[in-house]
Amino acid sequence: MVRSPHEAMHRLFQHDPGVFTRAFHELALPFDDPLEVALLSTDLTESRPIERRVDTVMRIVTASGSFLLLVEAQGDKDPDKPASWAYYLSHLLAKFGLPPVLLVVCQDQTTATWAAGTTTNGRA
């Protein structure tokens, strides 16, 4: 059930988009001041089936706990892959409630270096 404190925490941003700028300045986070703000639909329901397949998913149980190991074979650089990997990780965490670990295996050093690079929100 949605409660007033929950609603107040996020609706503040809807009613005063400038709070974003003030909050991020106060926290010294690296965002430019917004030039435009648009309120979008909060419904994340997919209206059509989306096929998403990880190459291999395994549940690993150790003495200190369990986790999911996702193994992806990557032949070349693919600018769309980091977004797919972010989706896989978040979906499997939500589905199984276990921390996911992504292992990307590559046949060449160039692709491996690219795959190991830092990503932000699924973008290399």
Side-chain angles (χ1 to χ4, degrees), residues 17-18 20-25 29-37:
F20 168 86
T21 303
R22 294 188 301 277
F24 282 68
H25 279 228
L29 295 174
F31 290 96
D32 291 335
D33 291 348
L35 299 177
E36 180 181 327
V37 176

Side-chain angles (χ1 to χ4, degrees), residues 20 24 50 53 59 63 68 80 85 101 104 111:
F20 168 86
F24 282 68
I50 296 177
R53 295 190 187 269
R59 185 186 65 201
L68 300 175
D80 294 331
W85 295 334
V101 175
V104 180
T111 305

Side-chain angles (χ1 to χ4, degrees), residues 1 3 38 59 63 78 83 94 110:
M1 176 177 197
R3 296 176 29 196
R59 185 186 65 201
D78 179 347
T110 302

Side-chain angles (χ1 to χ4, degrees), residues 54-65:
V54 177
D55 292 331
T56 299
V57 180
M58 297 180 284
R59 185 186 65 201
I60 308 289
V61 179
T62 69
S64 59

Side-chain angles (χ1 to χ4, degrees), residues 8 18 26 28 56 71 76 84 86 89 94 97 101-102 112-114 122 124:
E26 186 66 28
T56 299
V71 182
D76 294 305
S84 293
L89 293 168
V101 175
L102 174 64
T113 300
W114 167 81

Side-chain angles (χ1 to χ4, degrees), residues 52 54 72 79-90 122-123:
R52 304 265 189 181
V54 177
E72 279 283 285
D80 294 331
K81 271 303 189 174
S84 293
W85 295 334
Y87 177 88
Y88 301 160
L89 293 168
S90 128
R123 293 288 171 217

